[in-house]
């Protein structure tokens, strides 16, 4: 029986290596989706690339703390948003201002004022707002609001997943989302129609 | 901007758009949308804006990043 123990140990190591390869492959398959969210959380493409690389580097090191069968994309995004938060703390930041808030229909109403009711026909929205204006408006949001809007509206995470990723209560996700979207529409209305 | 009687419905419709309402709230939102042209138009606007933001803000991963990420793998 002298041979038995090394054999068991060998099988354990082989099984762990297989789990690890599977984890890494599943994580890499999500890279494009992770990048999409990262890109809207930071200002430049280079920062987004760095952030995604740091995220994967940490994820590959701490793969054992991921529970198979749970939401891997949310697990990766939690690492990413934490890294982004640490990074933000290091950069000298001006405090986020709390702009005056308009209602949910502010943008719709402004567009109606400018061009009449027909502007609200579905396809006309696309004609009236440029891609640049959307990207600029998103990046101008105070970071707490932006993180939530980006996770839910770009990343398509549920309220519950966003709450877990950002480590905040679900009610806070809902209020930040609501206010963040209002601010986004305000930015769009002012940028587009000023 | 003058307040309209329907501004009270705005929040309800945002929740409806997110499919985050209870059954009874969904019923309230739907019967309001059936009856109110003002809100119906604005709801459709919000719906297409949401989709538009999602598609325009999405930027694909740069070429070469996948390779860099694969190099970070610890397994052979």
């Amino acid at each position: 029986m002298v041979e038995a123990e090394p054999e068991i140990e060998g099988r354990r190591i082989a099984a762990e290596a297989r789990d690890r390869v599977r984890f890494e492959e599943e994580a890499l398959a999500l890279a494009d989706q992770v990048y999409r969210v990262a890109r809207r959380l930071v200002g430049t493409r280079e920062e987004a690339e760095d952030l995604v690389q740091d995220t994967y580097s940490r994820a590959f090191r701490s793969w054992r703390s991921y529970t198979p069968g749970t939401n891997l994309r949310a697990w990766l995004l939690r690492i990413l948003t934490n890294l982004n938060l640490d990074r933000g703390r290091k950069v000298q930041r001006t405090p986020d201002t709390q702009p005056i808030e308009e209602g949910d229909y502010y943008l719709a109403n402004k567009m109606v004022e400018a061009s009449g009711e027909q502007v609200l026909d579905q396809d006309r929205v696309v004609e009236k707002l440029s891609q640049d204006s959307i990207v600029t408006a998103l990046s101008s949001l105070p970071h707490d609001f932006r993180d939530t809007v980006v996770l839910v509206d770009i990343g398509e995470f549920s309220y519950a997943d966003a709450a877990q990723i950002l480590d905040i209560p679900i009610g806070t996700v809902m209020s930040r989302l609501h206010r963040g979207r209002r601010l986004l529409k305000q930015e769009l209305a002012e940028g587009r129609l000023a | 901007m003058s307040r309209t009687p329907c501004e009270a419905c705005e929040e309800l419709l945002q929740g409806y758009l997110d499919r985050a309402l209870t059954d009874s709230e969904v019923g309230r939102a739907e019967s309001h949308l059936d009856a109110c042209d003002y809100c119906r138009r604005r709801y459709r606007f919000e719906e297409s804006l949401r989709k538009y933001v999602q598609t325009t803000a999405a930027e694909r991963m740069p070429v070469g990043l996948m390779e860099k990420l694969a190099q970070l793998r610890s397994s052979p």
Side-chain angles (χ1 to χ4, degrees):
Chain A
M1 296 315 279
V2 184
E3 295 300 306
E5 274 191 20
E7 200 181 305
I8 290 167
E9 179 62 6
R11 273 205 296 269
R12 194 191 62 77
I13 290 169
E16 189 179 81
R18 273 197 305 276
D19 288 349
R20 183 174 211 158
V21 169
R22 191 183 309 134
F23 169 85
E24 289 174 349
E25 277 165 6
E26 283 174 16
L28 285 174
L30 296 168
D32 192 54
Q33 293 177 57
V34 170
Y35 177 82
R36 267 171 217 223
V37 174
R39 180 63 190 92
R40 296 280 82 93
L41 294 179
V42 299
T44 66
R45 190 173 298 170
E46 289 71 29
E47 282 176 88
E49 279 203 58
D50 283 350
L51 189 54
V52 172
Q53 288 189 69
D54 290 350
T55 299
Y56 274 80
S57 170
R58 185 171 291 190
F60 289 157
R61 279 201 311 275
S62 51
W63 69 282
R64 283 188 190 83
S65 65
Y66 167 70
T67 311
T70 59
N71 187 338
L72 179 56
R73 197 166 68 96
W75 187 85
L76 291 167
L77 259 303
R78 174 148 187 165
I79 296 177
L80 188 140
T81 51
N82 279 331
L83 286 170
N84 192 38
L85 202 65
D86 292 345
R87 185 182 288 234
R89 284 199 193 103
K90 283 178 203 143
V91 180
Q92 190 72 29
R93 288 163 50 98
T94 49
D96 289 320
T97 51
Q98 301 285 321
I100 298 161
E101 201 175 312
E102 303 286 351
D104 287 323
Y105 291 162
Y106 184 70
L107 176 61
N109 290 337
K110 279 281 178 193
M111 288 175 85
V112 167
E113 260 176 42
S115 327
E117 278 286 330
Q118 73 280 4
V119 84
L120 294 185
D121 292 346
Q122 257 127 315
D123 299 333
R124 304 292 298 274
V125 174
V126 178
E127 291 167 27
K128 292 284 169 188
L129 301 166
S130 69
Q131 177 173 7
D132 275 358
S133 67
I134 302 259
V135 168
T136 309
L138 265 174
S139 65
S140 73
L141 294 183
H143 75 101
D144 283 349
F145 297 118
R146 183 179 54 220
D147 289 358
T148 317
V149 170
V150 168
L151 285 172
V152 176
D153 285 352
I154 316 287
E156 293 182 89
F157 282 104
S158 65
Y159 294 175
D161 283 339
Q164 209 202 346
I165 291 167
L166 298 170
D167 200 19
I168 53 176
I170 204 162
T172 309
V173 168
M174 289 163 78
S175 65
R176 284 186 189 173
L177 192 59
H178 190 212
R179 294 196 56 202
R181 286 170 176 160
R182 283 183 167 192
L183 293 172
L184 179 73
K185 283 181 273 187
Q186 216 169 307
E187 282 294 331
L188 287 171
E190 274 145 26
R192 176 67 191 86
L193 305 158
Chain B
M1 182 106 291
S2 63
R3 282 187 71 83
T4 70
C6 282
E7 280 180 24
C9 307
E10 292 181 9
E11 279 201 49
L12 189 65
L13 293 182
Q14 293 291 315
Y16 183 64
L17 205 48
D18 279 347
R19 296 185 174 78
L21 299 183
T22 61
D23 289 351
S24 71
E25 286 169 330
V26 167
R28 244 184 342 125
E30 284 176 352
S31 55
H32 182 72
L33 284 175
D34 280 346
C36 178
D37 186 56
Y38 176 89
C39 278
R40 193 164 54 244
R41 294 179 74 86
R42 274 148 191 81
Y43 172 77
R44 283 207 304 262
F45 172 82
E46 294 294 321
E47 196 178 28
S48 39
L49 177 66
R50 194 75 60 85
K51 277 191 212 129
Y52 184 58
V53 167
Q54 194 181 46
T55 47
T56 51
E59 207 174 292
R60 300 220 53 172
M61 188 166 67
V63 182
L65 180 57
M66 185 57 116
E67 208 172 307
K68 289 181 200 160
L69 296 179
Q71 281 167 7
L72 298 170
R73 291 175 71 153
S74 32
S75 59

